[in-house]
Amino acid sequence: MRETRVHAVVDHLAEHRVEIMWVGGEPTMNRLLYPAAARAHRAGLAQCIFTNGSLFTEPQARALFDAELAFIRLSLNAVTPEVHQRHHDYNPDKPFVERVLHNVEMLAGLRSQRISPTQFAVSIVVDENNVADLEPTAEFLGNVVHRTGGSTIDYVVIRTALPYHNAEVHLDNAVHELVRQHLAPDSRMSRIYEDAGIATVLPGQQRIDRPIDEDDLGCLAAGWFGEVTPQGNLLACSDRYGDPDYVIGNVGRDSLSAIWDSPRRLDVLATAKRDRCASNYCPTGGRGNHLNRQFREIERFRATGRLDVVAQWLADIRKTIPSPKHSFFL
């Protein structure tokens, strides 16, 4: 999309108070990200970004802090060069790991300046490719914090890979056991993070051991976290990662209101219901699964006339989680 179209989309999202997660692919491949983030900030929209950290420069990173994103989360996953390359599947001749490690330190340095409330975090998605690199990654991040003056990496998210649409995930019991050992409170990795003051966010077990019970409610999460592709296509669910069957419109051509009321969106929701997407395909650790479980609980309370309990939940959440720090799950 050209700059005028990107700005029009941001303005339309602001009109409807739709929060923005800048994700990809890799969002920093688009140089229009930075003026768009500034525009969204001026409009008062909450934003965050997920990046692999391989492309942006310090002035560009500073622009993200200036836009007061809730957080900048860098998908590091490994620090050993060959492991990083294998996990991210790029040309071995490209020095991406050097850029990424440099940018981790650069972002931590910017965080030390307290330019804005923007938090800096690192995510590690674990599969058989990188499970042995968990401890070296912790050592690197701990050293970065000490070199940049402390309190410069707010948290690290560690989770096993999720079986997204068309994802090639390689996990077995041995991988899960190694992850469990590394995450134990008395493990060396846990002590490294604790000594560096880096909080660990652990979404927990990612395997689908207990799917959502089958019922006639369909997907209750669709509409809370759609995905816009670089071409402007809007998917009803970001966990369907580019699945054309879940495209409900194009924000470059149509308004959100028109897309929301369109027969195409109703058809997609009907497809999700018919295929029992919530029960069969929704990744356990994903946003959709989380919201589908929560909304089903709300519907159970609605059926018994106890929505006052739900209202109290919302009040408690607003007190304990006043602003997004790790994700926009709630």
Side-chain angles (χ1 to χ4, degrees):
M1 290 187 282
R2 296 185 180 183
E3 186 170 22
T4 54
R5 180 63 57 81
V6 171
H7 287 177
V9 170
V10 169
D11 293 345
H12 193 58
L13 295 178
E15 178 186 350
H16 292 271
R17 311 310 304 163
V18 177
E19 298 173 337
I20 300 176
M21 300 173 69
W22 298 104
V23 295
E26 175 50 42
T28 60
M29 291 181 69
N30 190 339
R31 294 182 181 274
L32 298 179
L33 162 70
Y34 307 99
R39 191 179 188 91
H41 174 53
R42 291 193 295 272
L45 288 182
Q47 307 175 77
C48 65
I49 188 170
F50 295 78
T51 172
N52 62 33
S54 64
L55 297 177
F56 52 72
T57 63
E58 181 170 338
Q60 290 170 330
R62 187 177 292 273
L64 297 177
F65 278 93
D66 289 339
E68 297 191 6
L69 275 64
F71 57 82
I72 298 170
R73 191 192 296 181
L74 189 147
S75 301
L76 180 57
N77 301 318
V79 294
T80 303
E82 59 270 20
V83 179
H84 189 274
Q85 181 275 325
R86 186 170 64 248
H87 188 85
H88 291 267
D89 193 26
Y90 55 81
N91 188 330
D93 296 331
K94 301 293 185 181
F96 286 127
V97 67
E98 298 173 13
R99 299 184 200 173
V100 171
L101 299 184
H102 169 80
N103 281 340
V104 169
E105 190 129 8
M106 179 264 288
L107 287 166
L110 290 176
R111 178 68 172 128
S112 72
Q113 299 175 28
R114 297 299 186 265
I115 299 168
S116 72
T118 299
Q119 295 194 340
F120 172 45
V122 170
S123 65
I124 302 171
V125 178
V126 187
D127 63 15
E128 66 176 8
N129 286 314
N130 67 334
V131 64
D133 218 46
L134 283 172
E135 195 169 293
T137 300
E139 292 175 347
F140 167 76
L141 294 175
N143 289 333
V144 166
V145 167
H146 294 310
R147 285 195 296 269
T148 52
S151 300
T152 54
I153 299 177
D154 293 279
Y155 60 90
V156 58
V157 178
I158 305 172
R159 65 169 178 82
T160 50
L162 297 175
Y164 290 119
H165 174 67
N166 287 337
E168 296 182 7
V169 176
H170 302 288
L171 292 170
D172 56 26
N173 290 334
V175 172
H176 284 287
E177 177 59 23
L178 285 171
V179 172
R180 188 193 66 78
Q181 293 174 11
H182 280 300
L183 297 182
D186 59 345
S187 71
R188 185 168 185 274
M189 187 183 78
S190 294
R191 291 196 298 273
I192 291 171
Y193 284 129
E194 183 177 357
D195 291 345
I198 302 174
T200 52
V201 180
L202 312 173
Q205 178 59 266
Q206 304 296 313
R207 288 180 292 183
I208 303 179
D209 293 329
R210 188 182 67 81
I212 293 173
D213 296 335
E214 291 194 357
D215 51 39
D216 61 352
L217 296 177
C219 179
L220 300 181
W224 285 80
F225 59 101
E227 179 182 66
V228 179
T229 70
Q231 296 78 29
N233 290 330
L234 175 61
L235 282 82
C237 169
S238 66
D239 285 347
R240 297 307 290 172
Y241 275 52
D243 185 342
D245 291 339
Y246 279 72
V247 172
I248 60 175
N250 187 287
V251 295
R253 295 192 302 263
D254 304 305
S255 70
L256 283 177
S257 299
I259 293 173
W260 227 246
D261 295 335
S262 68
R264 172 62 184 171
R265 178 171 177 269
L266 296 179
D267 288 344
V268 168
L269 294 179
T271 297
K273 185 174 183 179
R274 183 185 64 248
D275 294 346
R276 297 196 178 280
C277 190
S279 300
N280 295 329
Y281 308 116
C282 202
T284 305
R287 291 174 290 270
N289 194 287
H290 171 84
L291 291 174
N292 266 305
R293 292 180 187 277
Q294 294 299 317
F295 291 159
R296 276 166 168 73
E297 187 71 12
I298 290 172
E299 290 306 308
R300 284 192 282 271
F301 275 86
R302 185 195 306 276
T304 57
R306 300 173 61 197
L307 283 179
D308 58 311
V309 177
V310 177
Q312 186 59 54
W313 289 353
L314 296 175
D316 291 343
I317 287 171
R318 290 190 177 104
K319 289 179 182 177
T320 57
I321 310 177
S323 61
K325 291 182 174 62
H326 308 314
S327 190
F328 290 163
F329 277 20
L330 300 173

